[in-house]
Every structure is written in structure tokens, then in C-alpha cells.
Amino acid sequence: MGRLSVQQFVTFTSVYIAYTLYVYVRRSFTYTIPVLATEGNFDEKQLGIIVSSQSLAYTISKFCCGVLGDIFSPQLLLSSGLVCSGITAIIFTGCDSVFFLSLWWFLNGLTHGPGWTSIAKILKAWASPDQFGTVWSVVSTSMNLAGTVGPVVTTLLVTKLGWRWGIQIAGATSIVVGFFCFMVVKDKPPSDVSYKKQDKDNIEKEVKRSESYISRKDLLFLPGFLGVCMCYLATAIVQHSVLQWSQLFMVQEKHQTVFTGSGFLSSVDIGGFVGSFTAGYLSDYLVSKNSTIPRPIIRKTLVLYFEILLGCVLYFFIVQICESSSKVIVTIVGFLIGLSIYGPISLFGVIAMETAPDGIAGTAHAIACIFSNIGLMLAGFPLSYVASLVDWQTAFLLVGSLVITMVTYLLLKLQTELSAFKSASGKTLNIYNVLVS
């Protein structure tokens, strides 16, 4: 991977901070729920309505802003989204009724749509092809940072100042960072900036690819694009099932302590840091070393190996973890689950954008994110309803079966793509020597 210029470093650091604030504000009310539930201000149903209003708005906004990102300035969308997110969060704390809280949290959800979709466009413009996967993966760890630090910071603020002040401080910080990004972040690098030189064949490929065009409605019919979206959906179901229900599963059915369950969730996020960075760096390294092999093939092969690891570790978690399991084993399993979940997640967006022509790469990413958000919703009430009919063990086994389905699909799809590559180039490859050739 080529070295970063000063301008690249400033841009990537700025969007990292920006998305950390996006995630922190978006989850700020969720972090206050234990306090609100304990104080008896709202019951669980009312809290669920408020949280769900934001999730619904976020899903709608994320798709719309993905399309807008191909039309309007990503820098403007990024900074204005942060500012509006902070403003709506502050106004939200001035409400008392469930109706107005839900309304303003819904509006807050709408402001989060520009977040990652605009960052995706900025990263693609600023990163050279052999940096893209690594930069994408590193910046995506901002959500893990927010998920790790956010609960602790919010708990301290809520304990000292109250839940309203906790959210207000997050909102005010978001506004400041929004103005900062407007001044510092640019849509694309200056024309006189040059990155690591590519060979002539790669340059020609990039030019031809950027000049190609298809309509947005034809995106789903691009070879392999829908399959990537479905894998993204399935992995998102696994991800949010673990994040939302694994602690309850461990306490109720595995008879572990609440403290052990919390430690498990923290280890998942730590594994997410490592998995995201590892997937991005390895995929870029392999792309730079194998310039004749299409980038999506290399990245999907890496995804396959992550999914195989996920299937094995998830099975161990569901079946083998029990009351007598040590905290060390539980922590290691959580770390490996996080690594094998966030590795593929960090690559799906990259693959989706690389599959589509540059002119509609933002739309391609937005469509892929829609599938991810569907996975988020399916991992919520639908999965809990299944668990109420059977038990959490069976529910998680159903989730685990999705991983088996993904591995089967990727094996068959890669076999087809590698056969086509052999016909076009005369070079024989399989899913092993793609990574070692």
C-alpha cells in the first residue's frame, strides 16, 4: 500500500473523528436507557418506540443520501449532517412526552443518513486503489471506538449531570466537529496531487471503468452485486444478533453472570477493531501484489475465509459455552467473533463500490447499506419473536445457518468467477492460490 500524503492523512483523520461523533450521537439515547428504565421515567415499550423511530428514519435517510451523494458535494452532506444531528439531539432533550421525543429522535435519524455514505465517496476519491480497502477498514473502526468508549463516557456524564446533559454535550460536540469538517475536508484531492504510480495496464483499466455507465436501476443486475448485498444482509443479522441478544442468551441460558456477558460484548468490539483493519490491509496488499486479478475476486476470497472462521467460532459459542466456561475462553470467543464479523463487513462496502462505475458508486454503496439495515431490523423483534416461540439456543442456531449459506454461495460464486478468469487470461486459480499467488 502506498504511503499517505499529509493531505490524505488530514482528510482520513477528520472523517474518522466525524463518524465517531455520528455513531456516538446516534447511540447516545440508547446508552441512557438503563438509567431511564431504573428511574421509572419511561417503561420499556415507550423506550422501544423512541429508539425504533430513529432506526426507521436512519434506514430511509441512508438510502436517499447515498443517491444524493452522487449529485451533491459529499463534504457538504457530511458537515451539514453532523450539525443537524447535534441540533436535533439538543432539541430532543427539551421534550418530555413520548410523542415529541419520538418525533425529534426520528428527525435525528434522518440527519445520520449522510454520514457513512458521504465518507465512502470521500474515501474513494482520496485513496488510490491499493489504499482503498485499508483506509476504508481503518475509518470503519470509528464505530467500534464509539461503541467501546461511548457507553463509559455517557454513563459518567449521566451520573454526574443527568441524561439530558449527557445527550446535549454529545450534540454540541457534533456541531463543532461539523463546522470543522466543512473547513478541512474536501470532496477530492487537488489536481496536482499524485499518488503512488500504477502500471500502464492498471491505469487503462481504471479509466475504462470510470467512463463506463449504467443506469441506477440496473445496479442490482451487475454480476455478483446482488450476491454481495445478500451476504451483507446475512452478516448484518449475525452482527446485530450478537450485539443485541448474546448477553441475554449467556445470562438466561448459559447461566453466565451479567459481568461476563458485558466482557464478552467488549471483546467483540475489540475483535472488530482488529478484524476491520486486518481485512482492509490484507485485501489491499493482495490487490497490489496481484494486479492482473480483478479486485472483487481477491476481496471476496478473503471474505470467504473470514466467514468460515465465523461459522466455526459461532458454533462453539452457541453449543460449547456453558456455566463452567472460564472468562478467558468467553473473552477469546468474543474476540474471534468480532474479528470474523467486522472483517467481512469492512469489505462488503468496498466490493459494492468497486463493482459499480464510479459515477454511481455512492448509489451502489447505499443499496448495499439498505440490505445491511434490513439485517439490523431482522435481528431485532423478528429474532426475539422466534426466541419466544422456541429458545435463544435455537434462535442463534438459525442465525448460524446463515453463515453456512454464505460460505456455500461464496464457494460456488468464486468457482464461477475463477473459471471465467481462467478462460480470459489462461491462468488457473483456485480460492487458495488467489491469496498466495
Side-chain angles (χ1 to χ4, degrees), residues 93-139:
T93 61
C95 303
D96 292 309
S97 70
V98 174
F99 173 79
F100 283 107
L101 286 169
S102 300
L103 173 63
W104 280 104
W105 214 227
F106 177 88
L107 295 175
N108 182 268
L110 292 179
T111 68
H112 287 268
W116 188 257
T117 52
S118 56
I119 288 174
K121 292 285 290 185
I122 292 169
L123 295 183
K124 197 167 192 303
W126 276 90
S128 61
D130 67 336
Q131 297 171 329
F132 187 38
T134 302
V135 170
W136 179 289
S137 300
V138 171
V139 174

Side-chain angles (χ1 to χ4, degrees), residues 28 39 70 82:
S28 59
E39 292 178 352
D70 290 329
L82 273 171

Side-chain angles (χ1 to χ4, degrees), residues 244-317:
Q244 294 177 157
W245 305 114
S246 61
Q247 186 174 9
L248 183 64
F249 169 55
M250 293 178 68
V251 172
Q252 288 188 349
E253 299 196 15
K254 299 298 183 178
H255 307 293
Q256 294 281 346
T257 64
V258 175
F259 176 78
T260 302
S262 299
F264 171 82
L265 287 180
S266 296
S267 66
V268 170
D269 265 314
I270 294 171
F273 272 102
V274 178
S276 293
F277 176 78
T278 301
Y281 180 83
L282 276 180
S283 66
D284 277 347
Y285 174 80
L286 294 167
V287 164
S288 66
K289 295 298 182 183
N290 300 278
S291 58
T292 59
I293 304 175
R295 293 197 297 272
I297 289 181
I298 294 176
R299 299 197 201 276
K300 278 189 275 190
T301 303
L302 199 56
V303 167
L304 171 63
Y305 281 92
F306 272 105
E307 297 289 0
I308 291 173
L309 174 62
L310 175 59
C312 296
V313 181
L314 195 61
Y315 174 82
F316 184 88
F317 168 69

Side-chain angles (χ1 to χ4, degrees), residues 139-341:
V139 174
S140 70
T141 63
S142 57
M143 70 179 73
N144 298 107
L145 177 63
T148 303
V149 178
V152 178
V153 173
T154 303
T155 300
L156 290 174
L157 291 174
V158 170
T159 301
K160 299 293 183 181
L161 303 172
W163 73 271
R164 298 181 192 273
W165 271 104
I167 296 177
Q168 287 170 3
I169 291 174
T173 307
S174 180
I175 294 172
V176 172
V177 173
F179 283 112
F180 171 80
C181 287
F182 181 76
M183 294 184 291
V184 173
V185 178
K186 306 300 179 185
D187 290 341
K188 56 184 178 180
S191 57
D192 60 340
V193 173
S194 60
Y195 301 127
K196 181 183 176 181
K197 291 184 179 180
Q198 297 172 297
D199 57 57
K200 184 177 180 180
D201 290 339
N202 280 341
I203 293 176
E204 290 176 353
K205 288 178 183 177
E206 291 300 315
V207 171
K208 289 179 180 178
R209 188 172 171 277
S210 63
E211 290 176 348
S212 62
Y213 178 80
I214 62 170
S215 64
R216 288 182 172 85
K217 68 179 181 180
D218 293 331
L219 264 176
L220 289 176
F221 301 101
L222 285 174
F225 182 77
L226 183 59
V228 169
C229 291
M230 294 302 296
C231 287
Y232 202 177
L233 184 152
T235 306
I237 292 176
V238 178
Q239 173 196 12
H240 294 290
S241 297
V242 170
L243 294 177
Q244 294 177 157
W245 305 114
S246 61
Q247 186 174 9
L248 183 64
F249 169 55
M250 293 178 68
V251 172
Q252 288 188 349
E253 299 196 15
K254 299 298 183 178
H255 307 293
Q256 294 281 346
T257 64
V258 175
F259 176 78
T260 302
S262 299
F264 171 82
L265 287 180
S266 296
S267 66
V268 170
D269 265 314
I270 294 171
F273 272 102
V274 178
S276 293
F277 176 78
T278 301
Y281 180 83
L282 276 180
S283 66
D284 277 347
Y285 174 80
L286 294 167
V287 164
S288 66
K289 295 298 182 183
N290 300 278
S291 58
T292 59
I293 304 175
R295 293 197 297 272
I297 289 181
I298 294 176
R299 299 197 201 276
K300 278 189 275 190
T301 303
L302 199 56
V303 167
L304 171 63
Y305 281 92
F306 272 105
E307 297 289 0
I308 291 173
L309 174 62
L310 175 59
C312 296
V313 181
L314 195 61
Y315 174 82
F316 184 88
F317 168 69
I318 297 169
V319 177
Q320 299 299 323
I321 293 295
C322 59
E323 185 176 1
S324 60
S325 299
S326 69
K327 292 186 177 74
V328 174
I329 295 296
V330 171
T331 301
I332 293 174
V333 170
F335 176 86
L336 292 175
I337 288 177
L339 183 148
S340 53
I341 285 176

